């Protein structure tokens, strides 16, 4: 009861980490009350509330000239760099690939991985560059990689809470959702 550090007497909170496609299906089917994630902009009959918003940038090996030459990079600056991407089925990749195409940079990955942490580890090993949300920079402080914001265009990745339209939240779920929203707001202060 009240497990995740949120005071919810007599309420059992179960958190399940699943791919976004699975979370969408679970919420849409009514099998779970709420879902959280970076969801593609597909037209499902779900209510979406933005909880967090992070700009995108490049993680670059610290010793590379690209990491030292500017405070910001453009998407075109990543052309001809050894690119480390997430797998084509990831929601993050479906956000990033069209941005490269929009500025005329072909997406030709040197490596495709399943997790952002793996991509950043490969950058730290000097194997290439990867695009990540800005929060990743604060999680990886090894000094072997540098986060450089991307511009032209500046793009944001949103973490959203989804619920079914017209379905009211139980009191316990509503308290949990509000506590989580407050935590997210304080994260941006």
């Amino acid at each position: 009861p009240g497990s995740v550090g949120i005071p919810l007497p007599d309420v059992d909170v179960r958190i399940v980490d699943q791919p976004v496609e699975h979370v969408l299906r679970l919420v849409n089917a009514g099998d779970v009350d709420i879902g959280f994630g970076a969801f593609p902009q597909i037209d499902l009959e779900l209510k979406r509330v933005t909880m967090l918003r992070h700009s995108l940038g490049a993680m670059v090996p610290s010793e590379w000239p690209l990491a030292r030459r500017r405070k910001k990079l453009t998407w075109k600056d990543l052309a001809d760099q050894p690119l480390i991407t997430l797998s084509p089925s990831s929601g993050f990749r479906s956000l990033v690939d069209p941005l490269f195409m929009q500025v005329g940079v072909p997406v030709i990955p040197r490596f495709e991985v399943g997790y952002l942490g793996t991509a950043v580890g490969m950058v730290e090993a000097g194997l290439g560059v990867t695009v990540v949300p800005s929060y990743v920079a604060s999680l990886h402080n090894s000094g072997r990689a540098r986060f450089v914001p991307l511009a032209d265009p500046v793009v944001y990745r949103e973490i959203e809470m989804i619920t079914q339209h017209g379905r009211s939240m139980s009191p316990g779920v509503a308290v949990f959702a509000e506590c989580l929203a407050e935590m997210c707001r304080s994260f941006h202060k």
Side-chain angles (χ1 to χ4, degrees):
S3 48
V4 292
I6 298 172
L8 299 172
D10 302 320
V11 175
D12 186 30
V13 176
R14 190 177 122 209
I15 297 176
V16 181
D17 186 12
Q18 296 288 324
V20 293
E21 309 82 39
H22 191 70
V23 174
L24 284 167
R25 281 194 302 273
L26 289 170
V27 172
N28 204 37
D31 294 335
V32 298
D33 296 306
I34 54 178
F36 299 92
F39 301 106
Q41 296 302 315
I42 55 178
D43 191 27
L44 286 178
E45 292 297 317
L46 296 173
K47 180 179 174 187
R48 302 165 80 112
V49 176
T50 299
M51 304 292 279
L52 295 169
R53 188 172 186 248
H54 300 98
S55 61
L56 300 186
M59 288 295 281
V60 181
S62 297
E63 299 303 314
W64 287 19
L66 196 63
R68 293 189 302 257
R69 75 172 193 210
R70 293 194 192 129
K71 292 185 180 190
K72 288 187 180 180
L73 294 172
T74 68
W75 292 84
K76 286 185 178 183
D77 290 330
L78 301 183
D80 301 322
Q81 296 294 321
L83 193 58
I84 303 164
T85 67
L86 293 183
S87 68
S89 63
S90 78
F92 190 69
R93 179 84 179 262
S94 65
L95 170 67
V96 170
D97 281 6
L99 295 164
F100 278 116
M101 289 186 269
Q102 176 183 327
V103 297
V105 175
V107 179
I108 305 170
R110 170 83 50 92
F111 302 100
E112 290 182 346
V113 299
Y115 301 98
L116 281 173
T118 304
V120 172
M122 294 176 83
V123 171
E124 291 176 329
L127 298 174
V129 301
T130 192
V131 176
V132 297
S134 58
Y135 75 85
V136 172
S138 64
L139 300 175
H140 294 276
N141 295 337
S142 72
R144 295 186 308 262
R146 178 173 172 237
F147 176 83
V148 185
L150 282 166
D152 295 328
V154 173
V155 177
Y156 294 90
R157 176 181 187 231
E158 295 183 343
I159 305 297
E160 298 174 302
M161 177 179 69
I162 58 172
T163 57
Q164 283 187 338
H165 270 297
R167 180 177 177 179
S168 60
M169 290 186 201
S170 69
V173 171
V175 168
F176 175 77
E178 182 50 40
C179 287
L180 192 57
E182 181 58 35
M183 286 181 197
C184 291
R185 285 189 291 274
S186 70
F187 185 72
H188 279 293
K189 290 180 182 175

